[in-house]
mmCIF file of all heavy atoms in Angstrom:
data_model
loop_
_atom_site.group_PDB
_atom_site.id
_atom_site.type_symbol
_atom_site.label_atom_id
_atom_site.label_comp_id
_atom_site.label_asym_id
_atom_site.label_seq_id
_atom_site.Cartn_x
_atom_site.Cartn_y
_atom_site.Cartn_z
ATOM 1 N N MET A 1 0.861 -1.192 0.012
ATOM 2 C CA MET A 1 0.019 0.003 -0.007
ATOM 3 C C MET A 1 0.898 1.244 0.004
ATOM 4 O O MET A 1 1.645 1.472 0.936
ATOM 5 C CB MET A 1 -0.877 0.016 1.252
ATOM 6 C CG MET A 1 -2.039 0.960 1.160
ATOM 7 S SD MET A 1 -3.191 0.680 2.460
ATOM 8 C CE MET A 1 -4.320 2.014 2.165
ATOM 9 N N PRO A 2 0.810 1.988 -1.093
ATOM 10 C CA PRO A 2 1.724 3.186 -1.146
ATOM 11 C C PRO A 2 1.312 4.269 -0.182
ATOM 12 O O PRO A 2 0.146 4.540 0.033
ATOM 13 C CB PRO A 2 1.557 3.641 -2.638
ATOM 14 C CG PRO A 2 0.218 3.131 -3.025
ATOM 15 C CD PRO A 2 -0.029 1.829 -2.248
ATOM 16 N N ARG A 3 2.344 4.848 0.337
ATOM 17 C CA ARG A 3 2.060 5.947 1.241
ATOM 18 C C ARG A 3 1.669 7.220 0.444
ATOM 19 O O ARG A 3 2.265 7.507 -0.566
ATOM 20 C CB ARG A 3 3.353 6.283 2.087
ATOM 21 C CG ARG A 3 3.393 5.429 3.299
ATOM 22 C CD ARG A 3 4.443 6.053 4.215
ATOM 23 N NE ARG A 3 5.708 6.257 3.463
ATOM 24 C CZ ARG A 3 6.791 6.694 4.043
ATOM 25 N NH1 ARG A 3 6.793 6.970 5.335
ATOM 26 N NH2 ARG A 3 7.908 6.898 3.380
ATOM 27 N N LYS A 4 0.730 7.882 1.005
ATOM 28 C CA LYS A 4 0.406 9.170 0.366
ATOM 29 C C LYS A 4 1.279 10.266 0.931
ATOM 30 O O LYS A 4 1.446 10.359 2.165
ATOM 31 C CB LYS A 4 -1.083 9.566 0.755
ATOM 32 C CG LYS A 4 -2.087 8.912 -0.186
ATOM 33 C CD LYS A 4 -3.447 9.436 0.129
ATOM 34 C CE LYS A 4 -4.518 8.827 -0.727
ATOM 35 N NZ LYS A 4 -5.844 9.307 -0.350
ATOM 36 N N PRO A 5 1.869 11.008 0.035
ATOM 37 C CA PRO A 5 2.634 12.142 0.551
ATOM 38 C C PRO A 5 1.702 13.201 1.156
ATOM 39 O O PRO A 5 0.635 13.547 0.590
ATOM 40 C CB PRO A 5 3.339 12.692 -0.710
ATOM 41 C CG PRO A 5 2.510 12.185 -1.847
ATOM 42 C CD PRO A 5 1.876 10.908 -1.412
ATOM 43 N N SER A 6 2.078 13.614 2.283
ATOM 44 C CA SER A 6 1.219 14.626 2.924
ATOM 45 C C SER A 6 1.349 15.969 2.224
ATOM 46 O O SER A 6 2.430 16.493 2.095
ATOM 47 C CB SER A 6 1.636 14.783 4.416
ATOM 48 O OG SER A 6 2.985 15.159 4.484
ATOM 49 N N LYS A 7 0.251 16.421 1.790
ATOM 50 C CA LYS A 7 0.248 17.701 1.079
ATOM 51 C C LYS A 7 0.318 18.847 2.088
ATOM 52 O O LYS A 7 -0.453 18.826 3.068
ATOM 53 C CB LYS A 7 -0.993 17.854 0.218
ATOM 54 C CG LYS A 7 -1.013 17.009 -1.033
ATOM 55 C CD LYS A 7 -2.221 17.276 -1.824
ATOM 56 C CE LYS A 7 -2.282 16.367 -3.032
ATOM 57 N NZ LYS A 7 -3.571 16.538 -3.725
ATOM 58 N N PRO A 8 1.161 19.789 1.844
ATOM 59 C CA PRO A 8 1.142 20.950 2.694
ATOM 60 C C PRO A 8 -0.092 21.809 2.457
ATOM 61 O O PRO A 8 -0.354 22.167 1.319
ATOM 62 C CB PRO A 8 2.424 21.698 2.339
ATOM 63 C CG PRO A 8 2.757 21.230 0.926
ATOM 64 C CD PRO A 8 2.190 19.837 0.824
ATOM 65 N N ARG A 9 -0.807 22.004 3.450
ATOM 66 C CA ARG A 9 -2.036 22.804 3.264
ATOM 67 C C ARG A 9 -1.640 24.265 3.105
ATOM 68 O O ARG A 9 -0.761 24.772 3.805
ATOM 69 C CB ARG A 9 -2.914 22.682 4.505
ATOM 70 C CG ARG A 9 -3.639 21.380 4.523
ATOM 71 C CD ARG A 9 -4.553 21.287 5.731
ATOM 72 N NE ARG A 9 -3.758 21.373 6.978
ATOM 73 C CZ ARG A 9 -4.271 21.387 8.185
ATOM 74 N NH1 ARG A 9 -5.595 21.333 8.323
ATOM 75 N NH2 ARG A 9 -3.557 21.481 9.238
ATOM 76 N N PRO A 10 -2.323 24.927 2.220
ATOM 77 C CA PRO A 10 -2.064 26.400 2.076
ATOM 78 C C PRO A 10 -2.611 27.090 3.306
ATOM 79 O O PRO A 10 -3.787 27.117 3.564
ATOM 80 C CB PRO A 10 -2.851 26.752 0.819
ATOM 81 C CG PRO A 10 -3.856 25.682 0.643
ATOM 82 C CD PRO A 10 -3.254 24.421 1.229
ATOM 83 N N ASN A 11 -1.664 27.601 4.022
ATOM 84 C CA ASN A 11 -1.991 28.228 5.278
ATOM 85 C C ASN A 11 -1.428 29.650 5.274
ATOM 86 O O ASN A 11 -0.279 29.802 5.646
ATOM 87 C CB ASN A 11 -1.407 27.422 6.421
ATOM 88 C CG ASN A 11 -2.081 27.746 7.738
ATOM 89 O OD1 ASN A 11 -3.131 28.373 7.760
ATOM 90 N ND2 ASN A 11 -1.458 27.336 8.822
ATOM 91 N N PRO A 12 -2.173 30.586 4.771
ATOM 92 C CA PRO A 12 -1.568 31.902 4.565
ATOM 93 C C PRO A 12 -1.255 32.602 5.907
ATOM 94 O O PRO A 12 -1.923 32.385 6.914
ATOM 95 C CB PRO A 12 -2.682 32.681 3.853
ATOM 96 C CG PRO A 12 -3.955 31.929 4.109
ATOM 97 C CD PRO A 12 -3.541 30.493 4.296
ATOM 98 N N CYS A 13 -0.189 33.298 5.837
ATOM 99 C CA CYS A 13 0.262 34.023 7.029
ATOM 100 C C CYS A 13 -0.786 35.064 7.417
ATOM 101 O O CYS A 13 -1.284 35.812 6.575
ATOM 102 C CB CYS A 13 1.606 34.723 6.663
ATOM 103 S SG CYS A 13 2.153 35.834 7.938
ATOM 104 N N PRO A 14 -1.161 35.079 8.705
ATOM 105 C CA PRO A 14 -2.208 35.969 9.130
ATOM 106 C C PRO A 14 -1.734 37.440 9.146
ATOM 107 O O PRO A 14 -2.574 38.351 9.089
ATOM 108 C CB PRO A 14 -2.533 35.508 10.571
ATOM 109 C CG PRO A 14 -1.306 34.782 11.003
ATOM 110 C CD PRO A 14 -0.692 34.205 9.797
ATOM 111 N N THR A 15 -0.474 37.629 9.176
ATOM 112 C CA THR A 15 0.043 38.980 9.244
ATOM 113 C C THR A 15 -0.009 39.652 7.855
ATOM 114 O O THR A 15 -0.410 40.805 7.735
ATOM 115 C CB THR A 15 1.486 39.016 9.742
ATOM 116 O OG1 THR A 15 1.499 38.381 11.036
ATOM 117 C CG2 THR A 15 1.978 40.453 9.900
ATOM 118 N N CYS A 16 0.378 38.956 6.864
ATOM 119 C CA CYS A 16 0.447 39.553 5.524
ATOM 120 C C CYS A 16 -0.596 38.988 4.560
ATOM 121 O O CYS A 16 -0.628 39.310 3.396
ATOM 122 C CB CYS A 16 1.838 39.375 4.937
ATOM 123 S SG CYS A 16 2.252 37.595 4.701
ATOM 124 N N GLN A 17 -1.435 38.083 5.077
ATOM 125 C CA GLN A 17 -2.494 37.474 4.250
ATOM 126 C C GLN A 17 -1.877 36.715 3.075
ATOM 127 O O GLN A 17 -2.443 36.655 1.992
ATOM 128 C CB GLN A 17 -3.515 38.496 3.741
ATOM 129 C CG GLN A 17 -4.585 38.838 4.797
ATOM 130 C CD GLN A 17 -4.048 39.820 5.808
ATOM 131 O OE1 GLN A 17 -3.377 40.766 5.438
ATOM 132 N NE2 GLN A 17 -4.370 39.622 7.083
ATOM 133 N N GLY A 18 -0.711 36.176 3.294
ATOM 134 C CA GLY A 18 -0.145 35.323 2.247
ATOM 135 C C GLY A 18 0.639 36.087 1.182
ATOM 136 O O GLY A 18 1.122 35.453 0.230
ATOM 137 N N THR A 19 0.774 37.369 1.328
ATOM 138 C CA THR A 19 1.504 38.076 0.293
ATOM 139 C C THR A 19 2.997 38.071 0.551
ATOM 140 O O THR A 19 3.803 38.275 -0.390
ATOM 141 C CB THR A 19 1.013 39.558 0.259
ATOM 142 O OG1 THR A 19 1.298 40.168 1.498
ATOM 143 C CG2 THR A 19 -0.472 39.618 -0.037
ATOM 144 N N GLY A 20 3.379 37.899 1.787
ATOM 145 C CA GLY A 20 4.797 37.902 2.080
ATOM 146 C C GLY A 20 5.380 39.316 2.314
ATOM 147 O O GLY A 20 6.521 39.494 2.581
ATOM 148 N N GLU A 21 4.504 40.283 2.115
ATOM 149 C CA GLU A 21 4.948 41.671 2.317
ATOM 150 C C GLU A 21 3.972 42.396 3.197
ATOM 151 O O GLU A 21 2.771 42.130 3.186
ATOM 152 C CB GLU A 21 5.032 42.374 0.957
ATOM 153 C CG GLU A 21 6.235 42.015 0.149
ATOM 154 C CD GLU A 21 6.359 42.899 -1.070
ATOM 155 O OE1 GLU A 21 5.390 43.667 -1.335
ATOM 156 O OE2 GLU A 21 7.365 42.836 -1.736
ATOM 157 N N VAL A 22 4.524 43.290 3.939
ATOM 158 C CA VAL A 22 3.691 44.155 4.751
ATOM 159 C C VAL A 22 3.984 45.597 4.445
ATOM 160 O O VAL A 22 5.148 45.930 4.159
ATOM 161 C CB VAL A 22 3.855 43.888 6.242
ATOM 162 C CG1 VAL A 22 3.261 42.546 6.653
ATOM 163 C CG2 VAL A 22 5.334 43.955 6.665
ATOM 164 N N SER A 23 2.982 46.422 4.469
ATOM 165 C CA SER A 23 3.226 47.820 4.214
ATOM 166 C C SER A 23 3.103 48.587 5.504
ATOM 167 O O SER A 23 2.229 48.303 6.321
ATOM 168 C CB SER A 23 2.240 48.381 3.181
ATOM 169 O OG SER A 23 0.926 48.286 3.664
ATOM 170 N N ARG A 24 3.993 49.507 5.690
ATOM 171 C CA ARG A 24 3.921 50.298 6.904
ATOM 172 C C ARG A 24 4.066 51.784 6.516
ATOM 173 O O ARG A 24 4.745 52.129 5.543
ATOM 174 C CB ARG A 24 4.982 49.878 7.924
ATOM 175 C CG ARG A 24 6.350 49.896 7.278
ATOM 176 C CD ARG A 24 7.323 49.338 8.294
ATOM 177 N NE ARG A 24 8.684 49.249 7.720
ATOM 178 C CZ ARG A 24 9.707 48.759 8.345
ATOM 179 N NH1 ARG A 24 9.591 48.276 9.554
ATOM 180 N NH2 ARG A 24 10.886 48.659 7.759
ATOM 181 N N THR A 25 3.446 52.551 7.320
ATOM 182 C CA THR A 25 3.442 53.986 7.022
ATOM 183 C C THR A 25 4.775 54.601 7.448
ATOM 184 O O THR A 25 5.283 54.310 8.519
ATOM 185 C CB THR A 25 2.311 54.698 7.790
ATOM 186 O OG1 THR A 25 1.093 53.994 7.481
ATOM 187 C CG2 THR A 25 2.175 56.115 7.379
ATOM 188 N N VAL A 26 5.325 55.375 6.585
ATOM 189 C CA VAL A 26 6.575 56.043 6.855
ATOM 190 C C VAL A 26 6.240 57.460 7.390
ATOM 191 O O VAL A 26 5.532 58.197 6.716
ATOM 192 C CB VAL A 26 7.472 56.150 5.603
ATOM 193 C CG1 VAL A 26 8.769 56.851 5.908
ATOM 194 C CG2 VAL A 26 7.735 54.739 5.053
ATOM 195 N N ARG A 27 6.766 57.794 8.500
ATOM 196 C CA ARG A 27 6.529 59.072 9.127
ATOM 197 C C ARG A 27 7.843 59.815 9.353
ATOM 198 O O ARG A 27 8.842 59.258 9.653
ATOM 199 C CB ARG A 27 5.808 58.936 10.465
ATOM 200 C CG ARG A 27 4.457 58.214 10.359
ATOM 201 C CD ARG A 27 3.861 58.020 11.734
ATOM 202 N NE ARG A 27 2.665 57.208 11.682
ATOM 203 C CZ ARG A 27 1.452 57.668 11.413
ATOM 204 N NH1 ARG A 27 1.265 58.951 11.155
ATOM 205 N NH2 ARG A 27 0.422 56.860 11.390
ATOM 206 N N VAL A 28 7.739 61.117 9.122
ATOM 207 C CA VAL A 28 8.935 61.928 9.274
ATOM 208 C C VAL A 28 8.623 63.114 10.160
ATOM 209 O O VAL A 28 7.483 63.522 10.296
ATOM 210 C CB VAL A 28 9.466 62.431 7.897
ATOM 211 C CG1 VAL A 28 9.944 61.275 7.027
ATOM 212 C CG2 VAL A 28 8.423 63.204 7.173
ATOM 213 N N GLY A 29 9.654 63.633 10.742
ATOM 214 C CA GLY A 29 9.556 64.880 11.473
ATOM 215 C C GLY A 29 8.992 64.747 12.887
ATOM 216 O O GLY A 29 8.479 63.638 13.244
ATOM 217 N N ARG A 30 9.001 65.837 13.570
ATOM 218 C CA ARG A 30 8.475 65.788 14.935
ATOM 219 C C ARG A 30 6.957 65.636 14.967
ATOM 220 O O ARG A 30 6.388 65.167 15.935
ATOM 221 C CB ARG A 30 8.890 67.052 15.690
ATOM 222 C CG ARG A 30 10.366 67.049 16.030
ATOM 223 C CD ARG A 30 10.678 68.250 16.843
ATOM 224 N NE ARG A 30 10.587 69.476 16.045
ATOM 225 C CZ ARG A 30 10.801 70.687 16.524
ATOM 226 N NH1 ARG A 30 11.119 70.850 17.763
ATOM 227 N NH2 ARG A 30 10.679 71.757 15.781
ATOM 228 N N LYS A 31 6.327 66.098 13.874
ATOM 229 C CA LYS A 31 4.873 65.959 13.850
ATOM 230 C C LYS A 31 4.472 64.571 13.348
ATOM 231 O O LYS A 31 3.281 64.276 13.227
ATOM 232 C CB LYS A 31 4.280 67.036 12.917
ATOM 233 C CG LYS A 31 4.381 68.428 13.537
ATOM 234 C CD LYS A 31 3.693 69.432 12.624
ATOM 235 C CE LYS A 31 3.811 70.825 13.198
ATOM 236 N NZ LYS A 31 3.192 71.839 12.303
ATOM 237 N N ARG A 32 5.496 63.808 12.974
ATOM 238 C CA ARG A 32 5.223 62.467 12.485
ATOM 239 C C ARG A 32 4.259 62.418 11.330
ATOM 240 O O ARG A 32 3.261 61.735 11.318
ATOM 241 C CB ARG A 32 4.718 61.550 13.635
ATOM 242 C CG ARG A 32 5.695 61.497 14.783
ATOM 243 C CD ARG A 32 5.263 60.488 15.822
ATOM 244 N NE ARG A 32 5.253 59.159 15.279
ATOM 245 C CZ ARG A 32 6.300 58.375 15.144
ATOM 246 N NH1 ARG A 32 7.479 58.843 15.457
ATOM 247 N NH2 ARG A 32 6.213 57.177 14.683
ATOM 248 N N ARG A 33 4.572 63.297 10.365
ATOM 249 C CA ARG A 33 3.701 63.380 9.234
ATOM 250 C C ARG A 33 3.954 62.154 8.338
ATOM 251 O O ARG A 33 5.089 61.763 8.058
ATOM 252 C CB ARG A 33 4.044 64.643 8.444
ATOM 253 C CG ARG A 33 3.196 64.859 7.203
ATOM 254 C CD ARG A 33 3.423 66.281 6.704
ATOM 255 N NE ARG A 33 4.860 66.506 6.365
ATOM 256 C CZ ARG A 33 5.352 66.356 5.131
ATOM 257 N NH1 ARG A 33 4.601 66.021 4.133
ATOM 258 N NH2 ARG A 33 6.607 66.591 4.880
ATOM 259 N N ALA A 34 2.825 61.591 7.906
ATOM 260 C CA ALA A 34 2.952 60.418 7.047
ATOM 261 C C ALA A 34 3.328 60.824 5.659
ATOM 262 O O ALA A 34 2.617 61.685 5.052
ATOM 263 C CB ALA A 34 1.601 59.626 7.087
ATOM 264 N N VAL A 35 4.348 60.284 5.129
ATOM 265 C CA VAL A 35 4.841 60.660 3.789
ATOM 266 C C VAL A 35 4.589 59.562 2.768
ATOM 267 O O VAL A 35 4.841 59.693 1.612
ATOM 268 C CB VAL A 35 6.287 61.048 3.793
ATOM 269 C CG1 VAL A 35 6.495 62.315 4.623
ATOM 270 C CG2 VAL A 35 7.122 59.908 4.295
ATOM 271 N N GLY A 36 4.102 58.453 3.240
ATOM 272 C CA GLY A 36 3.883 57.396 2.281
ATOM 273 C C GLY A 36 3.958 56.041 2.943
ATOM 274 O O GLY A 36 4.034 55.924 4.144
ATOM 275 N N GLU A 37 3.912 55.061 2.140
ATOM 276 C CA GLU A 37 3.998 53.713 2.677
ATOM 277 C C GLU A 37 5.157 52.979 2.089
ATOM 278 O O GLU A 37 5.567 53.207 0.944
ATOM 279 C CB GLU A 37 2.704 52.930 2.334
ATOM 280 C CG GLU A 37 1.536 53.322 3.213
ATOM 281 C CD GLU A 37 0.410 52.370 3.057
ATOM 282 O OE1 GLU A 37 0.427 51.558 2.121
ATOM 283 O OE2 GLU A 37 -0.529 52.425 3.894
ATOM 284 N N GLN A 38 5.739 52.139 2.876
ATOM 285 C CA GLN A 38 6.879 51.383 2.479
ATOM 286 C C GLN A 38 6.558 49.923 2.658
ATOM 287 O O GLN A 38 6.075 49.520 3.737
ATOM 288 C CB GLN A 38 8.075 51.778 3.334
ATOM 289 C CG GLN A 38 9.358 51.195 2.890
ATOM 290 C CD GLN A 38 10.503 51.671 3.761
ATOM 291 O OE1 GLN A 38 10.384 51.638 5.004
ATOM 292 N NE2 GLN A 38 11.604 52.090 3.180
ATOM 293 N N SER A 39 6.775 49.144 1.669
ATOM 294 C CA SER A 39 6.525 47.754 1.799
ATOM 295 C C SER A 39 7.825 47.032 2.189
ATOM 296 O O SER A 39 8.897 47.364 1.683
ATOM 297 C CB SER A 39 5.973 47.173 0.516
ATOM 298 O OG SER A 39 6.901 47.277 -0.528
ATOM 299 N N GLY A 40 7.672 46.097 3.034
ATOM 300 C CA GLY A 40 8.826 45.357 3.507
ATOM 301 C C GLY A 40 8.465 43.888 3.667
ATOM 302 O O GLY A 40 7.275 43.541 3.584
ATOM 303 N N ILE A 41 9.451 43.140 3.887
ATOM 304 C CA ILE A 41 9.216 41.702 4.048
ATOM 305 C C ILE A 41 8.512 41.483 5.348
ATOM 306 O O ILE A 41 8.693 42.120 6.352
ATOM 307 C CB ILE A 41 10.569 40.971 4.004
ATOM 308 C CG1 ILE A 41 10.370 39.479 3.883
ATOM 309 C CG2 ILE A 41 11.412 41.295 5.224
ATOM 310 C CD1 ILE A 41 11.653 38.733 3.606
ATOM 311 N N CYS A 42 7.602 40.528 5.285
ATOM 312 C CA CYS A 42 6.834 40.161 6.500
ATOM 313 C C CYS A 42 7.768 39.384 7.420
ATOM 314 O O CYS A 42 8.314 38.373 7.038
ATOM 315 C CB CYS A 42 5.624 39.326 6.092
ATOM 316 S SG CYS A 42 4.701 38.730 7.499
ATOM 317 N N LEU A 43 7.834 39.859 8.611
ATOM 318 C CA LEU A 43 8.729 39.238 9.554
ATOM 319 C C LEU A 43 8.103 38.015 10.254
ATOM 320 O O LEU A 43 8.810 37.277 10.905
ATOM 321 C CB LEU A 43 9.143 40.240 10.654
ATOM 322 C CG LEU A 43 9.989 41.404 10.127
ATOM 323 C CD1 LEU A 43 10.338 42.333 11.291
ATOM 324 C CD2 LEU A 43 11.234 40.883 9.449
ATOM 325 N N THR A 44 6.815 37.859 10.028
ATOM 326 C CA THR A 44 6.199 36.718 10.634
ATOM 327 C C THR A 44 6.472 35.421 9.823
ATOM 328 O O THR A 44 6.789 34.373 10.372
ATOM 329 C CB THR A 44 4.656 36.906 10.715
ATOM 330 O OG1 THR A 44 4.430 38.119 11.440
ATOM 331 C CG2 THR A 44 3.971 35.758 11.410
ATOM 332 N N CYS A 45 6.367 35.579 8.508
ATOM 333 C CA CYS A 45 6.619 34.403 7.660
ATOM 334 C C CYS A 45 7.908 34.531 6.878
ATOM 335 O O CYS A 45 8.276 33.672 6.067
ATOM 336 C CB CYS A 45 5.422 34.222 6.697
ATOM 337 S SG CYS A 45 5.225 35.639 5.566
ATOM 338 N N LEU A 46 8.602 35.624 7.058
ATOM 339 C CA LEU A 46 9.877 35.883 6.361
ATOM 340 C C LEU A 46 9.692 35.889 4.870
ATOM 341 O O LEU A 46 10.536 35.435 4.118
ATOM 342 C CB LEU A 46 10.948 34.915 6.802
ATOM 343 C CG LEU A 46 11.308 34.942 8.296
ATOM 344 C CD1 LEU A 46 12.337 33.894 8.630
ATOM 345 C CD2 LEU A 46 11.764 36.328 8.694
ATOM 346 N N GLY A 47 8.528 36.378 4.430
ATOM 347 C CA GLY A 47 8.345 36.558 2.997
ATOM 348 C C GLY A 47 7.772 35.349 2.281
ATOM 349 O O GLY A 47 7.523 35.404 1.070
ATOM 350 N N SER A 48 7.570 34.285 2.989
ATOM 351 C CA SER A 48 7.088 33.120 2.287
ATOM 352 C C SER A 48 5.556 33.175 2.086
ATOM 353 O O SER A 48 5.028 32.507 1.184
ATOM 354 C CB SER A 48 7.395 31.865 3.101
ATOM 355 O OG SER A 48 6.701 31.790 4.287
ATOM 356 N N GLY A 49 4.913 33.975 2.887
ATOM 357 C CA GLY A 49 3.461 34.091 2.776
ATOM 358 C C GLY A 49 2.685 32.981 3.402
ATOM 359 O O GLY A 49 1.442 32.906 3.328
ATOM 360 N N GLN A 50 3.402 32.068 4.027
ATOM 361 C CA GLN A 50 2.721 30.935 4.673
ATOM 362 C C GLN A 50 3.040 30.900 6.142
ATOM 363 O O GLN A 50 4.164 31.163 6.565
ATOM 364 C CB GLN A 50 3.216 29.629 4.062
ATOM 365 C CG GLN A 50 2.828 29.492 2.564
ATOM 366 C CD GLN A 50 3.367 28.242 1.972
ATOM 367 O OE1 GLN A 50 4.087 27.466 2.592
ATOM 368 N NE2 GLN A 50 3.081 28.031 0.691
ATOM 369 N N ALA A 51 2.012 30.661 6.874
ATOM 370 C CA ALA A 51 2.166 30.587 8.319
ATOM 371 C C ALA A 51 2.895 29.324 8.711
ATOM 372 O O ALA A 51 2.548 28.240 8.231
ATOM 373 C CB ALA A 51 0.847 30.698 9.020
ATOM 374 N N THR A 52 3.877 29.478 9.499
ATOM 375 C CA THR A 52 4.563 28.253 9.963
ATOM 376 C C THR A 52 3.776 27.625 11.083
ATOM 377 O O THR A 52 3.209 28.314 11.959
ATOM 378 C CB THR A 52 5.965 28.607 10.459
ATOM 379 O OG1 THR A 52 5.885 29.638 11.401
ATOM 380 C CG2 THR A 52 6.825 29.037 9.273
ATOM 381 N N ASP A 53 3.735 26.328 11.101
ATOM 382 C CA ASP A 53 2.953 25.642 12.065
ATOM 383 C C ASP A 53 3.582 25.672 13.447
ATOM 384 O O ASP A 53 4.754 25.434 13.562
ATOM 385 C CB ASP A 53 2.749 24.189 11.651
ATOM 386 C CG ASP A 53 1.510 23.614 12.346
ATOM 387 O OD1 ASP A 53 0.804 24.340 13.020
ATOM 388 O OD2 ASP A 53 1.335 22.389 12.219
HETATM 389 ZN ZN1 ZN B 101 3.612 36.988 6.499
#
């Protein structure tokens, strides 16, 4: 009886919703004015987009 390979279930990272990237607002100055958004690697899944079990 052949063994079935266990398929990895797609389990998207809850932090980045599986995109592997997170955007954060960039603020400058003492008033902390938002100048835009910067996308960076998701530190929860390290860019893989999948939640580690
Ligand atoms: Zn993530």
Side-chain angles (χ1 to χ4, degrees):
M1 196 169 175
R3 272 194 309 183
K4 276 186 182 176
S6 59
K7 287 182 184 174
R9 285 181 299 177
N11 198 14
C13 173
T15 304
C16 62
Q17 279 80 42
T19 62
E21 284 187 350
V22 289
S23 61
R24 53 185 176 184
T25 306
V26 180
R27 300 177 187 275
V28 295
R30 287 185 292 178
K31 290 183 180 178
R32 302 187 62 80
R33 180 167 60 95
V35 294
E37 284 191 347
Q38 187 179 46
S39 63
I41 191 171
C42 175
L43 294 180
T44 304
C45 62
L46 299 178
S48 68
Q50 295 177 359
T52 53
D53 200 7

